[in-house]
Amino acid sequence: MADGGNVRPELLGAPRAEPAFNAPWPVVALIAALILAHAVRAWLGVDAGRFALAAGDLSAGRWSGLVSHLFVHASWAHVLMNSVFILAFGTPVARYLGTGGRGAMTFLAFFLVCGVLAGAGFAAIAHALAALGLGPVDWGVVGASGAASGLMGAAARLIEGRGRLGRLGGRTVVGMSVAWIVVNVIFGATGLAPGTQGAPVAWQAHILGYFAGLLLILPAGWLAGARAGVNR
């Protein structure tokens, strides 16, 4: 049918144009929050260490750093690198959990829990090493990479299962896990990592966050009401 000389393409059987940017909105919103937080901090000139997870915080009962460190980054390169990471691996996770209110809240909770566990695990390891004289006594951690690593772990299960949850012992899961461990051990041993500007890499948090994501995506799916089961 014509309307004023304009023909609707869908009536002629023409395919609708796909959007150029079709990442799930919870992923886009999370990335926007990270970038906005960094922009505001940089504009106000607030030191990143003010929101870091620092040595002595947990033993002193200061728990806020477990969450706040996820939303503060050392540089634009740092926040943009983590944003790309979240875009790549958060997209399949958000689609699996769903983009309705329940799925979006579960996605955010999953991100936060992976990040908190990664930060707490890093703090425990750093404290033990410092007690043995094998690490610095004074340290601080910033950045969302531990939580982003959790998204990578969850994505490994989804890649293995082709949209469903794959087995923990599946070839893709094992391959990605070994590769992530090796890469982060190299980062820790050499200090060479993109976007860090020579700062030490919290590689332990990356590995801990990754394995948290591997395990927690199953209960996260239950919470979100995802119907895809585990492929055997």
Side-chain angles (χ1 to χ4, degrees):
M1 298 288 294
D3 182 11
N6 295 322
V7 180
R8 293 169 59 190
E10 58 268 29
L11 296 181
L12 298 179
R16 295 185 179 183
E18 290 293 329
F21 188 74
N22 60 357
W25 75 263
V27 176
V28 176
L30 176 58
I31 291 173
L34 295 175
I35 293 176
L36 179 62
H38 180 75
V40 170
R41 185 191 66 78
W43 181 62
L44 294 176
V46 179
D47 184 68
R50 181 174 175 180
F51 301 98
L53 174 62
D57 277 357
L58 302 186
S59 59
R62 295 189 294 268
W63 305 99
S64 61
L66 286 171
V67 174
S68 65
H69 86 279
L70 301 173
F71 293 90
V72 63
H73 290 79
S75 65
W76 277 109
H78 190 197
V79 69
L80 292 176
M81 180 181 65
N82 278 339
S83 295
V84 170
F85 205 67
I86 291 169
L87 179 63
F89 296 109
T91 292
V93 177
R95 286 176 177 159
Y96 172 71
L97 296 176
T99 56
R102 183 177 176 182
M105 291 300 294
T106 304
F107 175 79
L108 177 59
F110 179 81
F111 175 85
L112 292 175
V113 170
C114 287
V116 166
L117 291 176
F122 176 86
I125 293 172
H127 178 73
L129 292 176
L132 296 172
L134 300 176
V137 176
D138 188 21
W139 51 265
V141 178
V142 296
S145 52
S149 296
L151 295 175
M152 180 183 181
R157 300 268 317 259
L158 294 170
I159 294 170
E160 173 69 33
R162 298 183 179 181
R164 295 164 61 89
L165 285 187
R167 296 180 299 109
L168 286 170
R171 181 178 298 179
T172 300
V173 173
V174 172
M176 288 181 65
S177 301
V178 171
W180 192 234
I181 292 172
V182 170
V183 166
N184 277 282
V185 169
I186 292 174
F187 285 168
T190 64
L192 299 176
T196 62
Q197 298 179 330
V201 178
W203 59 273
Q204 303 96 323
H206 298 174
I207 295 174
L208 292 168
Y210 176 88
F211 281 98
L214 274 181
L215 299 175
L216 294 180
I217 187 57
L218 179 60
W222 294 339
L223 289 174
R227 296 182 179 179
V230 179
N231 280 341
R232 301 296 180 184

